[in-house]
Amino acid sequence: MIPSMNKSLPCVLMRAGTSRGPFFLREWLPEDDATRDEVLIGAVGASDPLQLDGVGGGSTLNSKVAIVSRSAQEGCDLDYLFAQVGVGQRSVDTRPNCGNMLSGVLPFAIEQGLIEATEGTTTARVFNVNTRSRIDVTVNTPGRRITYDGDARIDGVAGTAAPIRLNFLDAWGAVTGSVFPTGQRIDLIDGTAVTCIDAAMPLMIVRAADLGVTGAETPAELDANTALLVRLEALRLVAGERMGLGDVSASVIPKPVLVSDGYGSDSITSRYFTPRRCHASHAATGAIGVASAFALPGTVASSPVPGSGKRAIVVLHPAGQIDVEVELEGSGETATIRTASLVRTARKIFQGELHIPDYVFSRPTQGDSMNLQQLIAPALAAGITALTAPAALAAFPTKTITIVVPTAAGGGNDAMARTIAQKLGPLLGQTIIIDNRAGANGSIASEFVARATPDGHTLMLGYIATHGMNPALQKLKYDPVNDFEPIGLVGYSPTLMVANAAVGVKDVKDLVAQLKAKPDRYTYASAGNGTAPHFAAELFKLNAGVVMLGVPYKGAAPAISDTIGGQTQFMFPSLFTAYPFIKNGKLKALAVAGPKRVASLPDVPTLKEAGVDGVDVTQWYAIFAPAKTPKAVVDQLNKALNQVLSDKEVIKRMEDHGADVSTSTPEQLRTLVASELVKWKGVVQKAKLTAE
């Protein structure tokens, strides 16, 4: 039993630009970054999606933190560290900057005595610690006091307030080292033209029309377009790698942006994503980046009218517009951005004492009493009162847990893992991050987890392909039985046969007839050789007596995206992956590759009913740990997982996507994996399948 810990610290809650969050002096927070981040998680209430246990608002726009101190940088007055805190996940990302929260830094600093106000207006040079860039901030200070009252209006915020001018001096390439970090102003990613730019914020900019939308849609319409979100995320992951940011699946940068024409030669329409939802208005730093791409030639967003010197640019967003003034140095292909400025407003909401719950803090093992004192000491020095220290400390978990997903972000496996992580993290009292390691048909992820430290902090969302089909198809560098400790089953999902909505095929019988008349007329997409969509398609070809060319992808997300786009015509995804696209009419369901129809699609026949017998591919999903993970940890994880899977919200979310939740003991899952290997080895021999 861990006794309660009462902690409190000073805090100022501010609306800054179109964002909101707590502002702290650096000295109010613990000195070490790990404990500081735990305090921020507790302050905002990051552990649940609604952020009910903190001052957050259940959105990335009001799950932000500003940490301010006197500057240690020569020529600068203030240091500003921005932190993006997770929504429904215990995470803190200090890589990006936030221009909206920046607008509250100088008013906060004046009120806290870090800066002495001057008569009329006060200007201070702020050093952004995240991007190591400088911004001159000017605020109104009549009578040498900060005022929040004024006539300035910014779209997305009710009423008016005093103007706050932000002048970005050197934000160009601040994160990656280059304005165009890939070395090009336009890159082609999977046939789509994108501009990767680092100007105040690393962005990946795409023309809206290139992704089948106008760019004038509302945020709600774009958020409901699942195919678009899947495509954007797939492009973003590649862009992040090319920009030198590494694996960005767990990061909020680069931010994806859709652009389209504005109302004239000096405006551009922008839809800014945060990164997996469309911003209700627009980020200030994002507006600087979009305006920079608009002002500079040779990008996907470039103005049709080249300019030089100072230029006023209007960035149109869902709630109105942001006016950005950029100053160009040079012209044509040699032009660079010298400075960029815009106006924001801010308002202090309250100032007082913020109480931090004890469950957000790490729990070292019993042998770590010295480390515990080291953990608490900085908090005490910072003014956080620890009334009671833990007497007994849990042995697991002691740090962030990683769930490795063997497919790309945006697919069904990824969605399932994130659904589980949202509930499992708070239950275990630790942050859970999702690590997408697509490639080699799941082998890369499987090998990584099999070789990971067996302490329960590295897990895997395995499924029928990684622990059944692919090992049955070819010799791999991991053993699905001996290299893993089964934790528990997650659920099942039927396999569907789906078609591009515009393909000229009425039903399965019509497809078979067309393929017999003209072999290889159509192509099918798979999530990779050795995956369920591949096996189902090959079994269909074998039992129907037809020929159809297969195109393997690195995961279900890009495969289903290209099927929707028409590059391939058919696919055999899980119902969990395909159902959202069937509901919105982007895919047509032809048949169920299983023994019975599914309740959510009662009019869709089984393949046997459609005249093709012998294709039964019901997909299953489960959580695994590396072999030799202690039994006590396995049992603890199994109990927590089964508790998550009994949650009505989780069950509904899974069912809404076409998966049936099913739990198990570790022993039952081990038996399932062994039996699946036998089954699919038999299919490989019968169908004469190969990995090529």
Side-chain angles (χ1 to χ4, degrees), residues 551-618:
V551 180
Y553 288 81
K554 292 182 179 179
I560 208 162
S561 178
D562 272 10
T563 304
I564 291 169
Q567 288 87 344
T568 55
Q569 293 77 48
F570 297 91
M571 189 180 172
F572 287 79
S574 69
L575 177 61
F576 188 83
T577 298
Y579 191 56
F581 306 107
I582 295 169
K583 285 204 303 184
N584 65 21
K586 303 219 178 256
L587 288 174
K588 178 167 58 176
L590 295 182
V592 178
K596 62 180 182 179
R597 297 191 182 199
V598 298
S600 56
L601 299 170
D603 297 329
V604 178
T606 65
L607 275 170
K608 183 177 181 179
E609 291 173 329
V612 181
D613 198 2
V615 187
D616 182 359
V617 183
T618 299

Side-chain angles (χ1 to χ4, degrees), residues 236-305:
R236 191 182 80 89
L237 294 176
V238 177
E241 289 280 359
R242 293 191 185 181
M243 294 172 78
L245 297 170
D247 179 6
V248 298
S249 57
S251 175
V252 297
I253 57 172
K255 299 290 180 70
V257 180
L258 297 178
V259 294
S260 54
D261 292 339
Y263 297 140
S265 59
D266 289 320
S267 69
I268 183 170
T269 300
S270 176
R271 294 295 182 264
Y272 181 89
F273 290 75
T274 63
R276 296 176 183 88
R277 296 191 67 181
C278 185
H279 200 299
S281 54
H282 208 288
T285 47
I288 296 289
V290 171
S292 298
F294 181 76
L296 294 170
T299 76
V300 298
S302 293
S303 167
V305 180

Side-chain angles (χ1 to χ4, degrees), residues 4 35-36 47 125 166 171 199 261 270 295 308 320 348-349 364 460 491 551 570 606 611 618 631 634 676:
S4 174
T35 314
R36 176 205 68 195
S47 298
R125 180 156 293 178
L166 309 178
D261 292 339
S270 176
S308 59
K348 183 168 73 171
I349 298 172
M460 177 181 181
V551 180
F570 297 91
T606 65
T618 299
K631 185 177 185 304
V634 169
E676 286 286 284

Side-chain angles (χ1 to χ4, degrees), residues 189 194-197 202-206 231-237 239-240 243 254-258:
I189 300 179
V194 307
T195 288
C196 298
I197 187 169
L203 305 177
M204 178 200 72
I205 304 177
V206 190
R231 181 64 173 159
L232 266 181
E233 181 63 8
L235 293 172
R236 191 182 80 89
L237 294 176
M243 294 172 78
K255 299 290 180 70
V257 180
L258 297 178

